[in-house]
Structures are given as structure tokens and as C-alpha cells.
Amino acid sequence: EAAAAAPADGAAAAPDAAGEVKRRGKPKDPNAPPKPKNGFQRVTGEVRKRLKEERPDIATDLKAMGLALKEAWDKTPQEEKDRMQEEYEREMEIWRPKWEAYKKTPGYKEFFELKQDWIDKRTKKKLIKAHAKEAPKKPRSAYMIFAGEIRERVSKEVSDSGGGLADVGKKIADEWAALSEAKKAEYSEQSARLKETFDVEFAKYKKTDKYKEFMDQKAKLESKQQQKKLVRTRLADAPAKPKSAFALFRAEAMPQIMAENKGLTAGDLAKKVAEMWAATPEEKKAKYNKEADALKAQYMKDWAAFRKDRRYSAFLKDRFRVKITENKRVHLRDAPKKPKSVFALFAEKHKNEVEAGKGEGRGTSALKEKFAKATEEEKKALEEEQKQLREKFEEEVKAWKESQQYKEFSKNDAAAKRELANAAMKVMTVKFLSAAPAQPPKSTFAIFVHEKRKAAEGAEGEKRAKAARKEELAAWKEEFEKLDKPSKTAYDATFQEAWAKWTAEVKEFMAQDVWKEYIAEAKQFKIPIKNLLQQKSRAIKQFTTPSTGGGSGMPSRPKSMPSKPQNAYQVFCKAKSAEAEGDSSKLLKMWEDMDTAAKSEYFTEAGKLQEAYEKQMEEFKNTDEGKAYFRDMGKALRLKKLKAAKKKHLVNMPKPPPSALKVFTEKVAAELKQEKPELKGFEAKKQAEERWKAMGAEERNALEEEAREKYKEYEEKLREFKQGKEFMKFTKATKGTPSTASAAPKKPTGEPTKPMDAFKAYCKEMKGMGKSKEDLLADFKALPEADRAERENKAKELEDQYLKELEAFRKTPEYKTYARKLKSFTRNQKISQAKSQYCKDQPKKPPVAFMLFVGDKRAEVMKANPDLKGLGPVMQKITELWKAMSQEEKGPWLAKEKAAQEEYQKAMEEYKQSDNYKAFQRAVAKASRIGSRGKMAKSKANAKAKGKGKAKAKAAPKGPEEPPDMPKRPPITPMQVFMKENGGMKLSEGGKAWLELGAEGQKPYIDKLKTMQAEYDAKIKEFQKTPEGKKYFRLKKAFEQKSKQAKAKERFLGGDDAPKEPKRPPSAYFIFVSERREAVSKELGSGNPGIVAKKLTEYWGQLPDEDKKVFEDRAAKMKTEYDEAMTAFKASDSYKKYSKAVQSINKKPKPAKPVAAKGKAKATTPRKSAGGRGRGAAAAGRAGA
């Protein structure tokens, strides 16, 4: 059916949703000022129209048309040509300023981008088209093979009957639809054979140099186009480059030159301007140079400001990404491919032994089952094969890295990273570091030089040359060496003071948000963070983590809190500091030269200090002061996290509107303050509240109604905001805080701590040495064999002890309770997430009668009881009134509650039919581990039951009948197997008996159901391979698709108020036939349709053109009316909804992309060719809808 109405290849473009045909070809700018036409365009434009009418034979012959147009232009008198040229030049003088002004508008930029995209696509198509000539031709689908065989015959038949190209396509599609399944299968097999041949040829072609050259060209072209597009879009608002002195001169002189030298070409005009510039005196040039320098200075200022913009940073990142992608596509295509895994090797050997496809029992799923049952010998053989492939791959990679192609890749990769880093450093400097305090001189001598140089520059008034400055530096060095000790001490004091002042300024600067932003952006660009202080790592850590001082809201560190102990190296440094005279390099050399035995005493001392520290810290945590400190620290961290999330994500959160009372009191208080300035604020507010109490009921109700409307608007905005991304980010950021989410169950005390392995314990001992993890690993491997073995044995003993303790702990009631709570918490969390994701549009439950009563009576109670302050006392009073009322008195609110409940139930019924609700139910079932098969069956049964009471309407079409030899589905649950074997109990009896069986009694039925299900799966697989099975499932799928389309048509276009599709008008021939059929039938004396139709066709062929034109005009008029009616019909909401529904029904699911190794070509999945492929099949689906 998908190809039942396939259009011909030359059919017009499909209309869009608005019913308009999309324009093809180069885009045109409708908003641009129309450019005047020159003389040749005017003459040939008129002649072209006339020639198309008089000589239709040359309308499609470009050469003949060109010669005819040239002949017409040559015949035009020269005077007429000159007149048109003068008129054209006058019009161009008016058009040029308009065009220049239009080029600065957003509309031009938008059009230019559209046009450039079209040019890029066309360039890419040309490249692909040129490559396609060399590549193997793609095979035709079954439908296209069939169409090729009958197209000539069908074209002749349609042409004889007066039809067009679209009618040819329709007739071919009709004949395809009428073709038998067996015949279609023959064409499908023929297409499959062509596809196999094509796959082989294309696989060979992909290994040729031509294909590789094409892929390189394609990758480079796409990269070049993407980079240009980034410049056009991301840098659209960047300052334009300033004009040079020559450009300023040219802009000023060009109008006069063009006026004096009319008719000169652009090249001759450029030469003329260059000659004039060369002849311009230097004094006059200086004016242009000065103006150009000013423009350049302003440009540099604007450019520096633009580089601070996020768009420029995004441009740098995107350009880098594009270049890296191009480099990989061009240079890593021939890189060695990773070897297949053991399972992949097994699957390759056994793939023909299982049924192809997806799902349980087919394809990968079946291969996994087969692999699980494979023998150990086969698996070992595959592992050995995989090992050999791995070794071969590593050798190939090693050789590949020596190739020129890999060197080129590495070179380009490094160049792209270097380009990004350089540009990013400039951005960071302009954006952040330019505001940092300037660093003072770095030494005492530098202070001396700085003062000398500053004095010299101040005296001379200008900077010295580099060579002269170098000579001065040497002289000043000699002078500094000759200074006495007190002078040097003074310079040293100046140096220390300047450095201390600068350090304080830098710390203050690094405590600001701008420094944090700098670090975050530097990490994004992957560039090193500038070292503002000498101890960079410690400074960054200090200023990027929360301070322990009280100024930031963090609790102060208690004096009784133990300090961290020294490590082994620090203990050694303290002991040997005097011996090394405080020289850190000497201390490090002494430590490295020591053997393990000598170091052991320092490690022992450090271990004792660490144990003492841990003991002291444990004691501190159990003290009241320690508990209070850690409790306050946790609270402060949570609060800080919450505040940061609010500041970041809740900036645009709607604010609740003030109450009617507050609005009134503020307004009246302001008026009273103007009338009586001596009134104090609280006095004005008190008088305003008294006026509110004395206000009439109608006036107060009006103000309260206005406040309620504003509050409803606020609630709606708040609801929309809470469904937005920012609130979801806020919720995610604050997850785990008491105010936003329920906490996970607390882990029970007593859980054993996992010990460190030998290497981690060694790293802990060597902490503070400043060594990297790689160096520590090398040192650990270099330890004496006995020392390392002792460490590893100790770690192994601790690991074994930990596992025993953990096993015992998991048997405790506390852990079992925790595990159960954790499972429940995880389930509830998943359900909560599903609810927030899918239940945004769920109708809200209506308020009960009491709450409706509260809403109506709150204002009345507050007015009657002004002494009641706060929500609690007012609600208590209203509750007393409600309890004192009789059932009859409560009637109005109970009626409102009932009506609201009915509306809510109706809304819920509609909501339960939505996709979101169904998705939520699936998520809940998955979270609760409840199978959905029973529910689905139950819902279908309910749907059937609902339909029983309805009057019989038009009989619904039946699907294909199940073949008699089709396997029957087994029961769904083990309980059904039990009930069936025990004489068909009632559900209540069966359920009770099933529970009484217990786990042991239920097990045989569970196993039996598994066996029945496995047998059924195997049988259904075999059945699907049979011709009868294939036909049944194909017909079933087609029937389901047709049913869905019919339901969509009935839903959107079947109602009485739905628009009706206009009837297609007859052609001129059929109008003639309808009017002459009766006369011709009488003339022949026969009512045989075939004979009459043949005679009518003969008469139509003999009809003069003048008589035919009458029928053709009538047909054209009817066609125009039909097109207008059809356009209106397709523009209706009902048709749009129907069209959208049909597209959704006919849409084929996208095949899952296979996960391939880096550098592998994309895996292709052969399409099923049963319904045709390509343009024809896709269009057939649309037409069939």
C-alpha cells in the first residue's frame, strides 16, 4: 500500500503545511530595492516573451534563443541604445544609495545568510555529483524496476488519453498496487540481487584513491563552509576593520573621478585613483594618515571590548571544534581499526545461524544466548584469536604513528590547539587579567633599576632604544654592586613593602567573583591559569574554596580542633634544617639520597603523628564543641549552596503580588503623607487600616477581586516558571537539601571502612613531597622487593579482614533495614522524577466544599473579627462556623464541590488518554518492577466492555485472519497455568489457592510457563519464516497502518462541522464524454461501455481545436475553482491535524546507529524493499494517506 499512489519523478514539489509550494532554485530577496535594467536586458526581455509565444520550438533551446536575442539587439538603432544607456545610468545613481542603505539592514543580513547557505549546498552537491560519476550506480528498488519496465507503455496510454506526467506516475502506482504479492516478491528479489552486487562494488570502490580523495575534498569543503558561517554569524556584530589612509582618499575622490571618466571599467578607475594617490603631496596624505590612525585606535578599543563578549569565546571554541573534526576526518581515515571483541568474533562466525532482526530471540539477543551456551574450548580459541588481533593492532598503530599522515594529523592538531590557546589567552587578558594589580619589580636590584629608569625617562622625556637600555642596565648593575650594606638594606625594605602591598591587592582581587569566572573560563579553554602569586596552587585553592572565617557565614575553626600532622618528609626537614642551612634543594637532595632503612624512622614518626591526629580528631568529633562545629559547617554549606542556586537560577522567578489590603494601605498612606507631612509612617498606616475596615462591602469586594485576578496571573506564571529549565536546574542544584528534597536513608553506624591498597598507603606516606602520581608509582615500583612485598601482604590482610567484616555487617538487622529503606527511597525518587517530567499538564484536584467555604468567608470573618491576627486564628474561627452548620446550610458549597469534581473527572479522563500519562504509567511500572502485560490486556478488555453498550454503527474492517497453523500464545502468568490445570477456578478462588501454594509450590508452574513461552517463541520464529507467516504479518502491519489512517480521518475530517474535501474536477475529455455519451449510445444502438468509450475517444480525436478549446476552458475554470477550494481545505486546522497525524503514522522509525570504533566507516543497514524505496515510495506513503 505504501507505493499505491507513488507520483512520477517529475511531479511538482509537495506543498508545505500552509498549502504553498516551496520555491526552488537560487533564493530571491523580495525586500531589496529592484536594480534597474540596462538596454540589453530591456530589449531582450520583451523579445524573449514574444519569441516564446511565436516560436515555442526554441523556448527550451538555449543556443537558438541566444542567437535570436543577439539578432534582435543588433537590429536596435544605436540612438535607441544610447538613450537606454543614459536612462540606465540615471536610474543607477538613484539605486546605488538605496542599495548601500539596504545592505546595512537586518533583512539584508538574513537574506545574505540564506543565499550563502544555498550556495554552499549547491557547491557540495556539485562535488557529490562529480564523484557520483566515478562511483558505482545505486541499485533500483523493486518499485523502480517495475516502473522502468512499464513506463514507456503507460506514458503512451496516458499521452493518448490527454494526461500529463503526474498521471503517468499515478497510473504506474495503481498498477503496482494491483500487482500480486508473488510478482512483487520477484521484483524485490531482483532488487536485492542488485543491492548485493552494488554492496560488493561499492566496498571495492571505497578502497580506491578516488574515493579517499573525494572524502578529503568533502571534509575540507564542509569545514571551510562551517568556518565561514561562524565568522558571518558569531562575528556579525564585531567592529568592522577601519579604513586605511588610501581607502579614505579613494572614498573622497571616487565620485569626482567617476563623473569625469564615464564609461571606464572598475580596473581602470582603480588605476586612476592609485595614480592620483601617488601624486598627492605628503602634507595632504598626513591628514588622511591622522584620520586613519584615529579610526584604527577606536577599532582596537572596540575590538578589545568585543573580545570580552561571550559570542567571541563561543566562536573560538566552535572554530576549534570544526578544525579538529576536519583534521580527524582527513588524516585518521586510514588509521588501524580496533580489533573485534571475543563476542564480536563469535557473532561474525554464527550470525547466519540465528534469525536476523531485533528483539528477544533474534539478532544480537539470540547471539548472546548462543554465546552463553558456547563451550569453554571455543571461547578460549576466540580469546586467543582476539589476543593475536590485539597484538597485530598495536603493531599497526605503532607503525601508523611513524607514517607521514599521522605526523600531519599531529601537526595540524597541535596548530589548532595552539591557535585556540593564543586567542584564549588574549581574551582572558582583556576580559579578566587587565584589571589585576600590576606586579612590582621581582628583586631588590629590580627596585633599584626601576627607580633609575623612571628618573632617566622623566628627565629625558622619551624612551631610550633597546641597545642603549641594555648598556645602561650593565652600568647600573656595576653601580648596584658597589652600594654599601645600609643602602642595599633600604632597597630591600622597599622591595618587601612593595611586594607585601601587591600580595594583599592580589589576594583581594582573587577573592572577587571575576577571578572565579576567570578560572572557570580558563578551564573551559584548557589553558594554564596565570600565576599571580608565587604559590599559585595554594592561592587558587584558597580563593576557590569556602573560607573558614566567620565573614563568609562559615563557622570559625575551634582552637581545640587538632591540626593536621607533618608527613615523613616534613619531619625530616625539621630535623635536618640546621644541617642544610635552610636550603630546600639541599634538603630534597639529602632525602632522595637516603635509603629505605634510613627513611623508615621518619616514616615511623610520621605514622605515630598521624595515628595521634586521628585519635584526637575522633575525640574532638564526639565533644559538644566538635559536634556543634561540624553541624554548623554542614548547615552553612547547605545554606551557601541554596543561596548560590537561588541567585543563579531564580532571578526571573515571578514575585507574588501584594494583597488587596496592602495595596490599599500603601496607596492611602502615601496620600496621607502628602496631605500631612508631619504624620509618621506607622500613624499613616494605622489610619489607612481604619479606612479599610470602614470601607463598604462593594468597594472592598472590587479591590479583593482585582487582587485575586492578579494572584491567579501570578500562579499561572509561577506554574510556567516551575516547568522551565531554570527551576529544574535549581531543583537539581539543591537536591539533597532539607528544603527541596527528602534525604536518603542514613547509613547505619558500624559499617567497616574499606582499607587502602599498598600503593595508596605509600602515596599517603609520601604526601607533601610535591611529586606527581606517575613519579610516586615509579618510586613504589623501585622499592626493594622485600619492602614492597611486605606492604602488599599487609594490604592484603587488611582487605581480607574488611571483606569478612563487611559480610558480617550485611547480615545485621540494621543493614537489612537500611537496604530496604534505600530500595524504597530509590523507587520513590524515580517515580517523583517521572512525575515532574510527564505530569506537568495533569489537571489539579478541585478544592473540597470546606475550602470553597473558607475562600468565600475569610474576608467576612476577618472584617467581623479585627482582633484575629494571622492565618491560624482566622482558620480556627472559620472551622468552628463550618462545624456549626447543618447539612442543608452546607448545600451550596457541596454542590460546587460536586460540579468541580465532575469537571475534574472529565479532564482526568482526557488526560489519561495523553502520551505523557501513558509514559508516566510506564515509568511507575518500571520503578515498581510491575510488568505491564496484564495491565495492557486489562485496559483492552475494559475498552471492549465500554463499547458493548453502544448502538451498532458501521461495521469496523477486520484484520487478516490468523492462519490455522499459527502457534497459540501461552498463558500470561504462572497463576493462569495453575488455574487451567486445576479445572478452571474462579479468579478469587484461584488467587487464594495460588497464595497458599507458597514459593515451593509455585515454582513448578513458573518453570512450566517459562518452558511454554520458550516453545511458543521458537514456534513463532519458525512460523514467521514461512510464506504464510510472512504474508500474515505483512498484511497485519498494512491493516494496522490503514486502520490508524482511517481513524485519523474519521477523527479530524469525519465530524459534521469538519471541512469537506472538494471533489476533483473532470478533464476536458471527460466533460465532452459526459455530454456526448447518451447521444453516441443511441447512435450506436448499444449501451456497451467499452464500445461507447472507444467511439467517444475517436470523436474526441477528430474534434477541431476550436471546439476542444471550449471544453478545455471549462475544465480550466473548474480546476481553478477546485484549486482555490483545495487550498482553503488544506489551510483548515482539521486538515493540518489530519496531515500531521498521517505523517506520524507513516513515519518510519530511525534505525539505531551502531556504536563503531573511532575512525571506522559508518555501518549501513540495508532497507527492506517490499514497499519500494526512494522518492517514489516516500511520496506513495503521502498520497496513500
Side-chain angles (χ1 to χ4, degrees), residues 358 1147-1153 1165:
K358 295 180 181 179
K1147 186 176 180 182
K1148 291 183 178 179
K1150 291 183 180 178
K1153 292 183 179 178
T1165 306

Side-chain angles (χ1 to χ4, degrees), residues 884-945:
M885 292 171 65
S886 65
Q887 199 67 18
E888 292 180 2
E889 291 172 329
K890 294 178 181 178
W893 291 281
L894 292 171
K896 286 182 183 179
E897 178 189 359
K898 185 178 179 182
Q901 280 290 343
E902 289 175 355
E903 291 180 8
Y904 168 73
Q905 292 297 335
K906 190 183 295 183
M908 277 302 294
E909 287 299 324
E910 293 178 2
Y911 171 71
K912 285 181 179 179
Q913 302 303 317
S914 66
D915 294 337
N916 276 346
Y917 180 79
K918 292 173 183 175
F920 171 67
Q921 289 296 323
R922 288 195 297 270
V924 170
K926 186 177 179 182
S928 304
R929 297 188 178 181
I930 298 173
S932 59
R933 283 178 101 179
K935 290 189 177 181
M936 290 171 65
K938 188 177 179 181
S939 65
K940 287 181 181 178
N942 290 341
K944 272 189 177 182

Side-chain angles (χ1 to χ4, degrees), residues 1049-1075:
K1049 191 166 187 178
E1050 180 62 25
R1051 179 182 176 187
F1052 298 109
L1053 301 177
D1056 295 333
D1057 55 344
K1060 304 302 177 187
E1061 183 176 358
K1063 188 176 179 181
R1064 185 178 292 276
S1067 64
Y1069 169 73
F1070 281 106
I1071 295 173
F1072 166 80
V1073 167
S1074 63
E1075 291 184 1

Side-chain angles (χ1 to χ4, degrees), residues 121-182:
K121 287 180 183 177
R122 186 181 62 174
T123 308
K124 189 175 174 182
K125 282 182 180 177
K126 285 182 179 179
L127 177 66
I128 294 171
K129 192 174 181 181
H131 159 256
K133 294 178 182 177
E134 306 288 341
K137 305 302 176 190
K138 286 187 177 181
R140 293 182 296 170
S141 65
Y143 175 77
M144 295 308 293
I145 295 171
F146 170 76
E149 291 180 358
I150 68 168
R151 187 179 297 278
E152 186 176 351
R153 172 179 61 78
V154 171
S155 298
K156 188 175 185 309
E157 292 175 3
V158 172
S159 178
D160 292 343
S161 63
L165 194 60
D167 297 318
V168 173
K170 189 176 184 306
K171 188 168 178 62
I172 291 173
D174 291 341
E175 292 197 18
W176 172 260
L179 209 63
S180 66
E181 292 296 327

